[in-house]
Amino acid sequence: MNKALYDHKLTALKERAAYRRGLYLRPELKNLFYEFTQKCNENCFHCGSKCESLAPTDCMSVEDWKALTREVALNFPRKPMLCITGGEPLLYDGLFEVMSHAASLGFVWGMTTNATLIDHDCAQALKKAGMSTVSVSIDGLESTHDAQRGLKGGYDLAMNGIGHLLEAGFDHVQVTTVINHRNIGELPELFEIMDELPIDSWRVINLEPIGRALLHPEYMLDKEDYSWLFSFIREKRELGYPVCYGCSHYLGIELERDLRDWYFYCTAGRTTASVMSDGSVGACLDIPRIYDEKDGIKTIQGNVKERSFTDIWENEFKVFRQELSDICVTCRECEETEFCAGGSWHSLDCVTGEQQMCFKKML
């Protein structure tokens, strides 16, 4: 890397670090995730939330979600974007009613889905309910996708779902692909498929050490995998293709901003919060859900069935409003901690306080 580019990145990283530190004192809610349900019609081996269904009495009702949305609209004049997820959110019976209500209150919203349930009528209903963005999971070529997601025919259903979304006129259709040690070789063929689709972007992310993936260490990427993956993404971006690496993890000065359109910082609890299907409130949904300090770092901050979301956002989340490197001793001693700040919350071992993912160390 030439000195001018290095200096430019260094300046940008310092500015982002100053902004990040300011958020500890003045958090800005920009993205609010609604986990409508943990039900899913697929059974992905890498599922971060494990999708363990709750008893109906424990789930948020339609009226619960609508009341929460009205409260957020009242107390947050700069309305956060609502990010709808699950499980598979289309399995929640009240999805369209709640999100039509949210749209009527002025919220912009998007959804993450496996798209297997999206036919012509569903796509039109999502358009009518005000959905503006959607991310669809495609995790390999047909046989690989179906095997990893536990649904025979899932690939065809998902690709058909993408087609219906595009026909409905959605401009921001993204495909997200989770790469692991066994499907990484399919990336070139997947690229050819994605390049033929008029999608907004292709988001390529790595398998994370969370949820069910912890049971399959043999699928985790190794150093050679990551080197090849990052070279692949960088090459496609340099050619002008809308391919990007996900938001997770600090990549080091050399790669920061080369694989995505922004510089890394973990937004958990600073600009991002989540309400789970039982009303629990946390930061990023990928962070392990710990309700009691005796089990590790307490990541669940309250429940909207007991306290208002506004109260929880304003008076809790203290554990998230500090440098993660203040918790992780190994990260604290790193020379790039100013920029990384300890990495991503979702990959922290909340029992030992050690970071499980560090590209600087790995690469």
Side-chain angles (χ1 to χ4, degrees), residues 221-282:
L221 298 178
D222 58 26
K223 178 180 179 179
E224 288 71 29
D225 291 333
Y226 277 116
S227 295
W228 188 88
L229 174 64
F230 292 160
S231 293
F232 175 88
I233 296 173
R234 176 189 252 170
E235 173 191 304
K236 299 306 180 188
R237 288 176 60 81
E238 287 175 347
L239 292 172
Y241 292 104
V243 182
C244 69
Y245 176 64
C247 60
S248 303
H249 310 301
Y250 174 69
L251 301 172
I253 295 176
E254 181 178 349
L255 288 177
E256 276 295 313
R257 192 60 168 78
D258 288 3
L259 306 187
R260 52 196 172 207
D261 295 336
W262 62 90
Y263 289 93
F264 169 81
Y265 77 100
C266 182
T267 66
R270 297 128 192 196
T271 66
T272 298
S274 303
V275 180
M276 299 161 202
S277 53
D278 65 349
S280 296
V281 177

Side-chain angles (χ1 to χ4, degrees), residues 19-80:
Y19 172 70
R20 182 193 71 237
R21 289 191 293 269
L23 290 172
Y24 300 147
L25 298 176
R26 297 176 300 280
E28 303 171 17
L29 184 63
K30 296 182 178 181
N31 295 289
L32 178 57
F33 283 79
Y34 282 7
E35 178 196 68
F36 272 114
T37 180
Q38 289 200 20
K39 293 180 183 178
C40 192
N41 60 328
E42 294 189 326
N43 187 32
C44 305
F45 86 92
H46 58 268
C47 180
S49 67
K50 298 185 182 179
C51 287
E52 298 168 343
S53 296
L54 302 172
T57 53
D58 294 330
C59 296
M60 292 270 283
S61 70
V62 168
E63 290 308 315
D64 289 334
W65 285 112
K66 289 169 75 172
L68 167 65
T69 305
R70 287 193 295 272
E71 182 219 323
V72 175
L74 178 66
N75 295 328
F76 293 83
R78 296 179 65 179
K79 295 180 181 67

Side-chain angles (χ1 to χ4, degrees), residues 286-301:
D286 285 337
I287 297 172
R289 301 174 188 191
I290 300 177
Y291 293 79
D292 195 311
E293 290 180 352
K294 67 180 177 59
D295 298 322
I297 298 171
K298 184 179 177 182
T299 59
I300 299 300
Q301 303 298 294

Side-chain angles (χ1 to χ4, degrees), residues 100-265:
S100 294
H101 181 63
S104 73
L105 294 174
F107 284 96
V108 175
W109 70 277
M111 181 173 69
T112 299
T113 175
N114 60 39
T116 59
L117 303 175
I118 298 178
D119 57 15
H120 172 83
D121 290 345
C122 180
Q124 295 298 324
L126 289 167
K127 191 78 172 177
K128 184 177 179 181
M131 186 177 77
S132 60
T133 67
V134 61
S135 179
V136 176
S137 300
I138 298 291
D139 288 335
L141 301 175
E142 182 176 354
S143 61
T144 299
H145 175 94
D146 289 0
Q148 293 187 173
R149 301 189 71 85
L151 179 64
K152 186 174 177 58
Y155 177 88
D156 286 339
L157 288 169
M159 293 297 285
N160 287 336
I162 291 171
H164 290 303
L165 290 166
L166 293 169
E167 288 171 4
F170 287 101
D171 294 325
H172 298 287
V173 178
Q174 180 186 75
V175 171
T176 295
T177 299
V178 179
I179 293 300
N180 62 64
H181 186 62
R182 297 188 178 181
N183 71 355
I184 190 169
E186 296 182 358
L187 268 178
E189 285 184 80
L190 274 175
F191 169 76
E192 297 299 329
I193 294 171
M194 297 305 149
D195 189 37
E196 291 296 316
L197 295 173
I199 57 175
D200 178 61
S201 61
W202 183 30
R203 179 171 170 260
V204 181
I205 61 178
N206 55 276
L207 183 68
E208 296 283 348
I210 57 176
R212 293 178 189 160
L214 290 170
L215 302 175
H216 299 279
E218 72 277 10
Y219 278 86
M220 295 297 173
L221 298 178
D222 58 26
K223 178 180 179 179
E224 288 71 29
D225 291 333
Y226 277 116
S227 295
W228 188 88
L229 174 64
F230 292 160
S231 293
F232 175 88
I233 296 173
R234 176 189 252 170
E235 173 191 304
K236 299 306 180 188
R237 288 176 60 81
E238 287 175 347
L239 292 172
Y241 292 104
V243 182
C244 69
Y245 176 64
C247 60
S248 303
H249 310 301
Y250 174 69
L251 301 172
I253 295 176
E254 181 178 349
L255 288 177
E256 276 295 313
R257 192 60 168 78
D258 288 3
L259 306 187
R260 52 196 172 207
D261 295 336
W262 62 90
Y263 289 93
F264 169 81
Y265 77 100

